[in-house]
Amino acid sequence: MTFDAPTVIRTKRDGGRLSDAAIDWVIAAYTDGRVADEQMSALLMAIVWRGLDRGELARWTAAMLASGERLDFSDLGVPTVDKHSTGGVGDKITLALVPLVAACGAAVPQASGRGLGHTGGTLDKLESIAGFTARLSNPRVRDQLRDVGAAIFAAGELAPADAKLYALRDVTATVESLPLIASSVMSKKLAEGAGALVLDVKVGSGALTASEAQSRELAHAMVELGAAHGVPTRALLTDMNRPLGATVGNALEVAEALEVLAGGGPPDVAELTVRLAAEMLELAGIGDRDPARALRDGTAMDRFRQLIAAQGGDLSVPLPVGACAETVTAPRGGTMGDIDAMAVGLAAWRLGAGRSRPGHPVQPGAGVRIHRRPGEPVAAGEPLFTLYTDIPERLGAAMAELDGGFSVADTPPLSRPLIVDRIAP
Ligand code: URA
């Protein structure tokens, strides 16, 4: 059977169902360039509106997985496990979590992505370290897993369909779609060859899903996809109404992850790191190891340094900081109220931490530092946020995004659980 892009787009645009063969064709043809970006953009937008049913999602994911190689580390002699987040604001968890789990005895092949929409990407963060490269060949990933126990690398070679779709979604406002998120996450996670998978599915204003119900649906869909491909998968639903930690932006977040690896850091970042590590270790069959101890005794930090050095990074070079800074001060005294994750994420994006054209570089030193967390006392006139960028013209738009995204009140905001739920098959 022959296919053409306009017919496939029209079928989905009009609410029809894509056949297995049409899905296989369109993913393969887009990956090798026979379907153009503008055609795939139209199809993605149709999927944002019309969705994919369970059967279509399973096939779409399988077709993305089949676009590249699937790694196999079953001969490595240690359990392999990985984690993936559906994307958040200030979500630097992977940076400390990967070496932490490696320090506890599991190998972690972490195929990562770049920033997506208002959410940050692990690769953009790590590339703010001088010399760091995320471009590892598959044999090099294997060598590094054997020597260091962990590798964080661009997924491109493994799920090339996702690499192209991910970059296109980022700049065509087609990120926020349950089947597109589920297939993107699971195609690269299944391809990377981890024996088990823990997902951090975000819930709240800064998440890519619009409601808690949608986050739950996304978690269930991904857990099901993992099981269907023989990879034990579970998910935590975690709060993303507020940014995680006290920094949003690439280099700023690396610095905060280093604090966590040194046994400190903001309590929410440290708590989620340890909890996800415990889930990963349990799923890997070594649940008796204590991740909190590996943070305290420095073994996780040692592993992070080894990982960065193995990928060419030089931690002795100071992390970049945006050349221009502007501070937002408290309009009154009181208690810091809620801080809206979406407002801070968009502010960081406007400052240059994310991209608006495919393939454009991000500013490693751009971002937002949060000086007062929700519930902390605030004195009138004291700094609440510092905004950093290399391009001063961007400060105005970023300040406008932040406006209305926080409050100083007389009473503390409602406390929110960081871990909302746990979804297992
Ligand atoms: N993470 C991914 O890898 N893909 C998405 O679509 C969202 C988060």
Side-chain angles (χ1 to χ4, degrees):
M1 179 146 184
T2 57
F3 292 94
D4 61 87
T7 307
V8 175
I9 297 165
R10 203 174 296 118
T11 302
K12 188 43 74 183
R13 183 198 68 189
D14 295 344
R17 193 175 183 284
L18 301 180
S19 67
D20 287 355
I23 290 172
D24 292 349
W25 175 80
V26 81
I27 293 288
Y30 178 60
T31 307
D32 67 23
R34 283 172 291 142
V35 166
D37 278 347
E38 53 271 31
Q39 295 176 311
M40 186 49 98
S41 303
L43 179 58
L44 292 174
M45 192 56 87
I47 292 174
V48 167
W49 283 101
R50 297 293 194 175
L52 295 177
D53 69 21
R54 277 168 68 149
E56 287 176 302
L57 171 59
R59 191 66 177 210
W60 186 276
T61 307
M64 287 174 70
L65 178 59
S67 70
E69 200 182 330
R70 187 170 179 186
L71 300 181
D72 179 2
F73 298 117
S74 52
D75 60 342
L76 211 59
V78 285
T80 53
V81 62
D82 191 22
K83 161 266 182 186
H84 199 80
S85 154
T86 56
V89 176
D91 184 1
K92 69 279 294 172
I93 299 291
T94 294
L95 304 181
L97 179 65
V98 167
L100 172 59
V101 170
C104 291
V108 189
Q110 158 81 211
S112 275
R114 300 185 182 281
L116 198 56
H118 66 281
T119 67
T122 299
L123 300 184
D124 291 330
K125 294 171 201 191
L126 284 170
E127 283 171 355
S128 62
I129 301 172
F132 181 88
T133 181
R135 295 184 60 153
L136 303 186
S137 65
N138 294 342
R140 197 164 152 204
V141 170
R142 172 177 287 278
D143 289 348
Q144 203 173 303
L145 285 186
R146 204 191 42 235
D147 300 342
V148 179
I152 303 181
F153 53 99
E157 213 179 299
L158 289 181
D162 181 55
K164 281 189 84 173
L165 287 169
Y166 192 94
L168 191 63
R169 287 168 58 218
D170 186 29
V171 294
T172 54
T174 52
V175 169
E176 295 91 345
S177 150
L178 190 154
L180 295 181
I181 298 171
S183 56
S184 162
V185 170
M186 295 308 290
S187 60
K188 59 181 164 276
K189 294 288 114 176
L190 294 169
E192 73 183 12
L197 186 58
V198 174
L199 301 166
D200 179 2
V201 179
K202 301 297 184 190
V203 180
S205 76
L208 294 177
T209 37
S211 63
E212 182 174 327
Q214 279 190 15
S215 299
R216 280 181 189 280
E217 202 184 328
L218 174 62
H220 281 290
M222 292 194 293
V223 166
E224 213 172 276
L225 285 168
H229 287 269
V231 177
T233 303
R234 65 173 70 142
L236 293 185
L237 292 186
T238 70
D239 184 66
M240 189 33 72
N241 286 292
R242 298 168 176 165
L244 257 177
T247 58
V248 180
N250 300 305
L252 286 168
E253 294 191 39
V254 172
E256 192 170 285
L258 282 164
E259 289 170 24
V260 173
L261 285 163
D268 56 345
V269 181
E271 179 191 339
L272 188 52
T273 304
V274 170
R275 178 64 196 273
L276 284 165
E279 293 284 346
M280 290 168 73
L281 293 168
E282 191 186 310
L283 213 49
I286 48 174
D288 55 332
R289 316 286 163 92
D290 179 5
R293 186 165 151 197
L295 282 181
R296 278 195 308 272
D297 67 14
T299 49
M301 176 69 98
D302 290 345
R303 207 55 82 102
F304 181 73
R305 291 187 179 285
Q306 286 170 25
L307 183 152
I308 298 299
Q311 295 187 222
D314 183 353
L315 285 166
S316 69
V317 177
L319 289 164
V321 183
C324 314
E326 183 142 340
T327 302
V328 178
T329 54
R332 53 165 284 194
T335 303
M336 191 71 186
D338 253 324
I339 301 176
D340 179 43
M342 179 61 105
V344 180
L346 287 174
W349 179 76
R350 296 254 181 232
L351 290 165
R355 41 179 80 71
S356 53
R357 299 287 306 264
H360 271 200
V362 296
Q363 282 182 48
V368 180
R369 182 181 296 284
I370 301 164
H371 298 289
R372 287 281 171 268
R373 302 283 301 151
E376 288 181 356
V378 169
E382 77 169 324
L384 298 182
F385 303 93
T386 305
L387 283 60
Y388 299 95
T389 180
D390 290 331
I391 305 174
E393 295 75 32
R394 289 180 172 235
L395 284 166
M399 295 288 260
E401 296 289 2
L402 211 49
D403 197 30
F406 68 95
S407 60
V408 178
D410 293 325
T411 49
L414 286 179
S415 74
R416 296 177 184 281
L418 181 58
I419 317 266
V420 177
D421 205 353
R422 181 169 175 275
I423 312 278

